[in-house]
Amino acid sequence: MDILLSGLEIIARWDVIAALLIGSIGGVMVGAMPGVGAAVAIAIMLPATFSLEPIVGLTALLGVYGSSMFGGAIPAILINTPGTPVNALTTYDGYPMTKRGEARRALSLAYSASFFGGVFSILCLILLAPVLARVAPMFGAREIFLAALLGIVLVVVTHRGQVLAAGMLVCYGIFLKTVGLEGAGYTQRYTFGQTWLASGIDLIVVVLGLFALSQAFVLLTGRDQKYELPAMTKAGFFSSMAEILRFKRVATVASSFGVICGMIPGVGEFMSQFLSYGYAQKTSKTPDLFGKGNPEGIVASEAANNSVPAAAMIPLLALGIPGEELTAMMLAVFYVHNVIPGPQLFQNQMDFVVALYIALFILNVLVVFFLLVATNSLMKVMLIPNRFLGMMILTFSLIGVYSLRNSLKDCAVAAAFGVFGFILKRLNWPTSPIILGMVLGGLMEAKFRTAMARVDTPWDFINRPIAFVLFSMIVIAIGLHVVSVVRDRRRVSGNA
């Protein structure tokens, strides 16, 4: 109870609530803009939060992270274009309902299912917190190094078909982190005599380049999309919100899938959605209507994807392991604000963790209320031309980079990473492994050095229970990936 009160005390400040409100509404608006996405918004907002207190900056960015999927359902249902990639499955049943004049009902179901999934996962997060707090003291340098290595391995092997590319990009990120003054011996690494490289390559500059500037280039080089908004009935949103109770079984199971998939790094929203959608279809009395406007399909999809963010915070906060691109971004956000996720966070700053849980709950309430009163206005956001959006992202990103250190060199570095990110997107290669490598690379180096001072043989590195479990998980993850690759090649050769 004392920890809960401490958490409430941290969050009950006007600046924290204002940051959460701005982040939540901003996240919904960004989610409603096809082609932008939460990662771009977080990258743009990151420099602006740098000078704020950690809890203020983190709640603002947490608001964007947690609310973007709410907004992403709007274009998915109204114009058959998902606002964020994870809303893609919502188009299957949402858009057919819109075509038969049930747009408001579809939106209400999406909002209520998202709220249900969000609150469900927060409750799971709160229930697991005491367990994580008890395990936290068992983590030393070896365990933290292995947990970080496990995070990298899981994120790499889950990029099926792109494992080599993801592995190379992670290594590139780790290399970028080594540039500059080395901490132990104070020697310069890979600076080539350039004084501006002595302080290293700034993580925020890379984040803005890879996520925001690259997306600006994509929007500027593409064509403007023209959407036709559907006519809306006069029925209110509030009256349809209660309809979620008719589908409480589907919502509960979908949220459970979301929590489980969110806790497993590298699985995330897509797997939880397909599992939930498949379950809803198999257990439905009207399976033939799936894909043709079945409300159960919307509930399954939205409850599953919105229960993932809070669940993904469990491995992120407890072990510092991101599950996918957005949680890799959030990991970078935590490091930028000097909040180091990991066992020590649960051991030493439990009230801070509880404050983040409370912020997530308030976020869901704020977003649903905002959507219920502002959906008609949000629909106009979808009509903003892509090239105008691209120019806005480009301008705000460069202002953000320059404001960090008033340096044009930072702008040039960000532009270079923007071009690199643009090329990666054209090649359909992932960009998040670079950020993951930069964030975890420095941590792994520091913990490896500390651990090596206390071991005599390789066995000493894994002879403690948690270290052995983490090492076993690394071996199993790599082994399962090798088996799947061999099986796929045999299947291909058998079909040839």
Side-chain angles (χ1 to χ4, degrees), residues 176-407:
L176 290 175
K177 190 62 185 175
T178 64
V179 175
L181 198 63
E182 179 262 332
Y186 297 103
T187 56
Q188 293 195 6
R189 297 187 297 195
Y190 308 114
T191 59
F192 305 104
Q194 300 294 316
T195 54
W196 63 277
L197 279 175
S199 58
I201 297 175
D202 194 281
L203 176 64
I204 303 177
V205 174
V206 180
V207 166
L208 274 160
L210 284 177
F211 287 92
L213 288 177
S214 65
Q215 188 62 26
F217 296 152
V218 170
L219 292 171
L220 288 170
T221 55
R223 293 182 178 178
D224 288 334
Q225 300 292 326
K226 293 182 180 178
Y227 301 114
E228 186 175 344
L229 297 180
M232 301 282 277
T233 62
K234 295 183 179 178
F237 285 113
F238 288 97
S239 58
S240 302
M241 287 286 288
E243 195 178 1
I244 187 69
L245 297 176
R246 286 180 54 202
F247 308 110
K248 54 183 179 296
R249 176 183 55 81
V250 173
T252 305
V253 173
S255 301
S256 303
F257 277 129
V259 169
I260 294 170
C261 292
M263 289 172 57
I264 302 172
V267 178
E269 293 92 349
F270 292 102
M271 181 64 77
S272 67
Q273 280 185 92
F274 284 109
L275 289 174
S276 303
Y277 197 83
Y279 166 80
Q281 187 173 23
K282 287 179 181 176
T283 59
S284 173
K285 295 178 181 176
T286 55
D288 295 339
L289 293 180
F290 274 75
K292 301 174 183 175
N294 194 320
E296 291 176 275
I298 297 177
V299 172
S301 171
E302 288 298 311
N305 70 34
N306 212 57
S307 60
V308 169
M313 296 296 282
I314 295 173
L316 185 71
L317 291 174
L319 299 173
I321 297 177
E324 34 70 52
E325 183 178 86
L326 273 181
T327 42
M329 282 284 295
M330 286 306 297
L331 183 61
V333 168
F334 277 102
Y335 272 80
V336 166
H337 285 282
N338 290 320
V339 176
I340 311 302
Q344 280 78 17
L345 188 64
F346 278 78
Q347 190 176 0
N348 304 325
Q349 295 178 270
M350 193 60 196
D351 54 347
F352 188 88
V353 175
V354 172
L356 292 180
Y357 297 166
I358 298 170
L360 279 170
F361 178 77
I362 297 173
L363 177 157
N364 278 273
V365 176
L366 285 175
V367 169
V368 168
F369 183 76
F370 174 70
L371 285 169
L372 290 176
V373 299
T375 293
N376 287 336
S377 301
L378 275 173
M379 289 169 60
K380 297 173 183 173
V381 169
M382 295 182 288
L383 302 178
I384 299 175
N386 286 354
R387 290 176 181 169
F388 178 76
L389 278 177
M391 187 54 68
M392 294 290 287
I393 293 171
L394 185 70
T395 304
F396 283 118
S397 300
L398 290 176
I399 291 173
V401 172
Y402 185 76
S403 66
L404 289 173
R405 296 184 287 200
N406 296 333
S407 170

Side-chain angles (χ1 to χ4, degrees), residues 445-458:
E445 181 183 1
K447 295 301 176 185
F448 184 74
R449 283 181 166 173
T450 305
M452 288 305 290
R454 299 174 184 173
V455 300
D456 296 321
T457 65

Side-chain angles (χ1 to χ4, degrees), residues 461-484:
F461 208 92
I462 56 172
N463 64 356
R464 299 199 299 194
I466 292 183
F468 184 77
V469 169
L470 291 168
F471 178 75
S472 301
M473 291 172 71
I474 293 170
V475 173
I476 291 170
I478 296 173
L480 289 175
H481 174 70
V482 172
V483 169
S484 68

